[in-house]
Amino acid sequence: MSEPSDPNQARPRELTGQVGKYEITRPIGKGAMGQIFLARDTVLERDVALKVMSPQIVDDPELKARFEREAKAIAKMTHPNVVMVFDLGNLDDGSPYIAMELLKGQDLQRAMRRPPPMTLERKVAIIVQVLAGLAHAHEQGIIHRDIKPANIFVVTDDSVKITDFGVAHLTTSSMTGTGSVVGTADYMSPEQVKGDRIDGRSDLFSVGCMLFELVTGRRPFHSDNLMAIFYKITHERPNFDLLPAGVEYDALLPILKKALARDIDERYQTAAAFAVDLRDWLRAHATTASSQNVLEALLDLEAPPHSPQPLTQTPGRTVVPGEGSGARATVALDAESRPPAPRPGSGRVGPPPVKQLRPRRIQRRNPLPWIALAAAATATVAGLGYVAWRARSTPSASPPVTLAASPTATPAPPPTPAPTPATPVPTAAPQPTFAETGGVAAESVRRADDAFKAGRYGQAVESAQRALREDPSNTSAQQILDNALNGQKAATRLQAGEAALAGGDLPAAEREAAAARSLAPWDQAAVDLSRRVDRAKVAAEQKAAADAAAERQRDTRRVGQLIEEGTNALAARQYDAAISAYDRALRLDPQNPAAATGKSNAVAAKTMAETAASRAPAPPPGPPTRRLVSSGSVARRSVSDAGGVPPGFEASPGVEVRQGSQGAALPGDLAFEVSPSSPKAGERYSVAAYLRNEGSQPIQLDTMVVTTTIDGRKQQGRVAPSASVVAPHQRALVFQIRNEVWKRNTRSWEMEIVVFTSQRETYRNTLTWK
């Protein structure tokens, strides 16, 4: 726990002096379960955070016992990302306390709202540490149930601690003792909202909500209405379009979608699997040393090391050889030379383990290829000397011959590739020039050169081949032949590019033009095609921008029409139609405030209408028949005697309870819904009990006693209500039996339900077969 930095925080109750071996210094905070004091451990001489539980727990033996069991289980956890519990004891008045480590820093709720803003990799590193702590807790069989930024503490050394383990397990709701909302509903999982059985995967959904808020700056299911939040969690998907643009955010999107899956089986099944995917993301995108330190610190989630592999010298590795040729060597990897991250789901979160590798035997190079290469070079030089001597010995009026290397010797470099579209295109593409040659092939070379310059590549190929038959060593003829053949290939690619441009396939046209320019950089036709493709791309981009603007205008008009449609449907009490219209408007404009507010109002109005409809009118007069009839809801505020009877035990046999007077009418009403109301022998029937809240404050439910008496046989049991809280002006299902068979020869049937709230209020109603 930590010292709060908010001077306006309400002071907890005064507690001074010595508590066991702890010397109270001053109060430093207040939580949902009690008060926190700065204390000094006089034995070990260290400061601790002493959390003293509220008196309500002392008055309830069951809650006190559960708290003590939870505290002992948490004390067994030793993990760097879980707050440490040192001691458990009781004050003189019986109030239990926990001694925990004193943390310096601030909780995540404050950290993510205070400047400077955190980088994305730091946010992900915080969530990885949270998942590491949860993985350890889940292995110990402990579910947090209340993961939210206020319960995540960021220490000054950038480490992360999970606090308040067991609080949600004890309160089982998102309300404090006074009934005020503390904001936990925004991070609840769908199974928590529905009151279903939960496990560690519920904590992972809450972690996904925190990651979404850290990345986008908004809670994924937030609304001003509590019931609207519950509706969004159970029926809607988060707006993933709120993620900023960027490669790193695109890589994070599938992780967020999996963490926030409504179906628990499609979600991450373990905290380790969730952490592995984020670990891999950090390895790909983290650049700071602090994020790398997080990876180094999470070795407990690593998979077993791989088997040794042959040693290879790689830049960035330091090799320490062993003794002898067969000894093993240790390779240390730095941050830049690490191998690729393992595939998701491998169970590893930290850096790869240090591997034991064998040095590779150095092989001697074979000298034969070098000898062959030297011989080929000697033969080439001799051939060139012969060609030069023959050219000089042939009488001709032509200028001296300039020879290039023969293709059979060292290959000539490939043609210079064409510039990219972003590079300015030259105004005129130069054509290659060839030397004049003498001898018997001179006339064929000149004809080939003239045909090539005129773009008649087929004729140039024929003349160059004729010259090579007359003089096989004529390098000018060989160059003309090679370029003419490339020109023919470029002409084919240009035809394909023209066809693609005419058909509107600009990417294909661009590829063909680039290929033609690479084959024949001197060909002006390839340059012209590239220019026309660039102009067509600009025109296409302008048209796409205009179309997008027109589409946005149409969407804006359509959103206005849908909002008007939803408003009219809401006024006509057509709630489903109104919700559908607002949903379609939000799909077009997720940030539209009018659509969001209209949908919340429609959801609330629909819930109120369903509540009013549940009060069915009395059936018309008819022949006498037996029906399941409610005796009516009775509400009262209970006051226990000095013995400290906990709420919910007033109806227990043998317990003497004094009931105080009811100062004001309570806002709740317990009602039954039966189908069918007159069950017949062998017919299936269903009974549901709802608690309606017609007040302005939420009603926090505690426990419930159900008593069923059939033909004189009585069965009674204490059960947990199906819902933990009833929002203002709403109703919630607290108990239900479905598809029971009405037994033959039933003479009497009665069910009594008593609901107890945390404010010591009692709601009672009886359903009787009359």
Side-chain angles (χ1 to χ4, degrees):
M1 302 306 295
S2 66
E3 298 189 39
S5 59
D6 188 358
N8 298 323
Q9 186 175 13
R11 288 179 59 83
R13 71 174 182 177
E14 293 296 333
L15 183 64
T16 59
Q18 193 86 7
V19 177
K21 65 176 182 178
Y22 303 103
E23 183 178 348
I24 303 297
T25 303
R26 67 177 187 278
I28 59 174
K30 182 177 181 181
M33 293 292 294
Q35 301 160 358
I36 307 169
F37 299 87
L38 174 63
R40 181 72 176 175
D41 187 336
T42 57
V43 176
L44 299 178
E45 297 184 351
R46 62 181 176 186
D47 291 333
V48 299
L50 201 68
K51 187 169 186 177
V52 181
M53 297 299 102
S54 59
Q56 288 81 356
I57 294 181
V58 183
D59 294 338
D60 192 325
E62 181 182 356
L63 286 180
K64 183 178 179 181
R66 289 171 60 189
F67 163 73
E68 291 176 350
R69 289 196 302 269
E70 192 81 19
K72 291 176 182 178
I74 298 169
K76 295 179 181 179
M77 291 193 297
T78 55
H79 193 274
N81 299 121
V82 177
V83 63
M84 293 184 62
V85 174
F86 300 138
D87 194 9
L88 172 66
N90 293 279
L91 302 181
D92 294 337
D93 63 357
S95 298
Y97 67 81
I98 305 176
M100 299 176 290
E101 64 176 319
L102 184 68
L103 304 177
K104 301 292 185 180
Q106 58 185 342
D107 60 58
L108 183 57
Q109 185 173 353
R110 296 178 182 176
M112 64 185 181
R113 287 173 171 80
R114 289 186 176 179
M118 291 186 289
T119 62
L120 177 60
E121 66 182 75
R122 187 185 177 207
K123 296 173 183 178
V124 175
I126 288 174
I127 297 298
V128 171
Q129 295 185 68
V130 172
L131 290 169
L134 283 177
H136 179 74
H138 292 170
E139 289 176 358
Q140 306 298 320
I142 298 175
I143 306 171
H144 193 288
R145 303 171 188 259
D146 196 22
I147 291 293
K148 58 183 177 181
N151 287 340
I152 307 300
F153 200 88
V154 182
V155 191
T156 53
D157 62 355
D158 281 343
S159 63
V160 175
K161 300 278 187 177
I162 306 176
T163 64
D164 283 346
F165 266 95
V167 171
H169 178 66
L170 295 175
T171 59
T172 62
S173 73
S174 61
M175 305 297 167
T176 65
T178 60
S180 60
V181 179
V182 296
T184 311
D186 287 283
Y187 306 94
M188 291 175 66
S189 64
E191 52 270 21
Q192 282 180 289
V193 173
K194 297 177 182 178
D196 296 341
R197 184 179 181 87
I198 66 173
D199 54 26
R201 292 172 291 181
S202 181
D203 285 345
L204 304 187
F205 186 91
S206 302
V207 174
C209 292
M210 285 200 312
L211 179 58
F212 186 95
E213 183 177 5
L214 283 170
V215 174
T216 65
R218 300 186 183 182
R219 298 175 185 175
F221 305 104
H222 185 64
S223 179
D224 296 333
N225 183 287
L226 183 62
M227 295 305 296
I229 294 177
F230 291 162
Y231 180 87
K232 287 184 176 182
I233 292 175
T234 54
H235 291 84
E236 296 183 358
R237 291 171 55 87
N239 182 12
F240 294 107
D241 292 337
L242 294 177
L243 268 70
V247 177
E248 63 276 16
Y249 292 98
D250 294 340
L252 198 60
L253 179 59
I255 302 177
L256 270 173
K257 287 184 176 180
K258 187 171 183 179
L260 292 173
R262 284 200 304 271
D263 189 340
I264 194 171
D265 293 327
E266 296 178 1
R267 209 177 301 159
Y268 282 104
Q269 300 300 295
T270 64
F274 194 172
V276 163
D277 284 357
L278 290 180
R279 184 277 316 273
D280 294 341
W281 185 95
L282 276 176
R283 283 182 169 173
H285 302 282
T287 57
T288 62
S290 61
S291 297
Q292 298 293 345
N293 292 337
V294 169
L295 299 179
E296 298 293 341
L298 299 179
L299 297 178
D300 57 327
L301 295 178
E302 282 288 348
H306 299 291
S307 57
Q309 298 179 2
L311 174 66
T312 55
Q313 291 283 14
T314 305
R317 298 188 177 185
T318 304
V319 181
V320 183
E323 298 180 0
S325 59
R328 294 178 181 270
T330 301
V331 180
L333 302 180
D334 58 18
E336 295 182 358
S337 62
R338 290 179 177 177
R343 64 180 184 274
S346 63
R348 291 171 46 190
V349 174
V354 176
K355 300 178 182 178
Q356 298 293 331
L357 305 177
R358 294 183 180 274
R360 185 175 59 185
R361 185 178 301 172
I362 299 177
Q363 298 180 354
R364 298 179 180 273
R365 295 185 179 273
N366 190 350
L368 294 179
W370 296 98
I371 298 175
L373 182 61
T378 303
T380 300
V381 171
L384 292 176
Y386 170 76
V387 171
W389 169 79
R390 180 177 178 180
R392 285 193 302 268
S393 61
T394 303
S396 175
S398 302
V401 179
T402 302
L403 298 176
S406 172
T408 57
T410 304
T416 303
T420 61
T423 305
V425 181
T427 56
Q431 289 185 340
T433 57
F434 304 98
E436 294 287 344
T437 61
V440 294
E443 184 62 25
S444 297
V445 170
R446 281 193 294 270
R447 292 179 179 177
D449 189 24
D450 293 340
F452 178 83
K453 291 178 180 178
R456 300 189 300 272
Y457 297 126
Q459 188 176 357
V461 168
E462 295 177 358
S463 298
Q465 289 175 341
R466 184 181 305 111
L468 288 173
R469 285 194 297 270
E470 296 168 354
D471 183 5
S473 61
N474 193 301
T475 57
S476 296
Q478 185 64 51
Q479 289 183 9
I480 295 176
L481 177 61
D482 293 340
N483 284 282
L485 291 174
N486 285 337
Q488 288 181 328
K489 296 177 183 178
T492 302
R493 303 302 292 266
L494 285 174
Q495 291 178 356
E498 294 287 355
L501 180 61
D505 190 353
L506 298 183
E510 188 175 22
R511 288 193 303 270
E512 297 298 336
R517 292 179 61 184
S518 176
L519 290 168
W522 61 84
D523 198 327
Q524 186 64 32
V527 176
D528 293 340
L529 179 59
S530 295
R531 288 174 174 171
R532 285 186 284 119
V533 170
D534 290 340
R535 288 194 294 268
K537 287 174 61 178
V538 172
E541 292 173 355
Q542 293 175 346
K543 184 178 182 301
D547 293 342
E551 183 67 22
R552 286 193 297 270
Q553 292 179 355
R554 288 193 297 270
D555 288 346
T556 301
R557 290 194 297 270
R558 182 57 179 161
V559 167
Q561 294 171 357
L562 290 171
I563 291 176
E564 182 179 0
E565 179 182 337
T567 303
N568 294 336
L570 183 59
R573 300 183 180 181
Q574 299 173 356
Y575 304 118
D576 290 334
I579 294 174
S580 175
Y582 289 129
D583 278 337
R584 284 179 287 163
L586 289 173
R587 282 196 292 270
L588 294 174
D589 185 4
Q591 305 303 319
N592 191 288
T597 303
K599 180 180 178 180
S600 297
N601 293 337
V603 170
K606 179 182 178 181
T607 305
M608 294 293 293
E610 291 175 349
T611 302
S614 64
R615 301 177 178 178
T625 182
R626 302 188 71 175
R627 308 172 60 86
L628 291 173
V629 180
S630 171
S631 63
S633 178
V634 178
R636 64 177 58 187
R637 181 173 289 107
S638 301
V639 179
S640 61
D641 58 11
V645 177
F649 283 86
E650 292 84 353
S652 300
V655 178
E656 182 180 353
V657 179
R658 295 181 304 176
Q659 300 292 342
S661 61
Q662 182 172 334
L666 298 180
D669 180 22
L670 182 62
F672 287 100
E673 287 186 2
V674 184
S675 176
S677 60
S678 300
K680 299 178 177 58
E683 186 178 16
R684 295 188 179 273
Y685 68 99
S686 300
V687 177
Y690 292 85
L691 185 64
R692 289 191 290 263
N693 181 4
E694 298 180 354
S696 59
Q697 293 293 328
I699 298 177
Q700 183 180 357
L701 306 184
D702 187 7
T703 186
M704 181 173 63
V705 175
V706 179
T707 305
T708 304
T709 306
I710 302 177
D711 294 336
R713 292 190 300 272
K714 181 178 181 180
Q715 293 182 349
Q716 186 180 54
R718 183 177 301 277
V719 297
S722 299
S724 59
V725 62
V726 185
H729 306 295
Q730 308 293 330
R731 74 167 185 169
L733 177 69
V734 296
F735 181 76
Q736 185 179 30
I737 58 175
R738 300 179 61 186
N739 295 326
E740 290 288 332
V741 178
W742 190 266
K743 296 182 179 180
R744 297 182 182 275
N745 301 323
T746 300
R747 297 184 302 273
S748 64
W749 190 98
E750 183 180 275
M751 176 184 289
E752 181 189 61
I753 295 181
V754 184
V755 179
F756 304 95
T757 70
S758 61
Q759 292 82 15
R760 298 183 179 274
E761 298 165 352
T762 304
Y763 297 90
R764 182 190 308 268
N765 201 347
T766 304
L767 187 66
T768 307
W769 191 47
K770 297 182 179 180

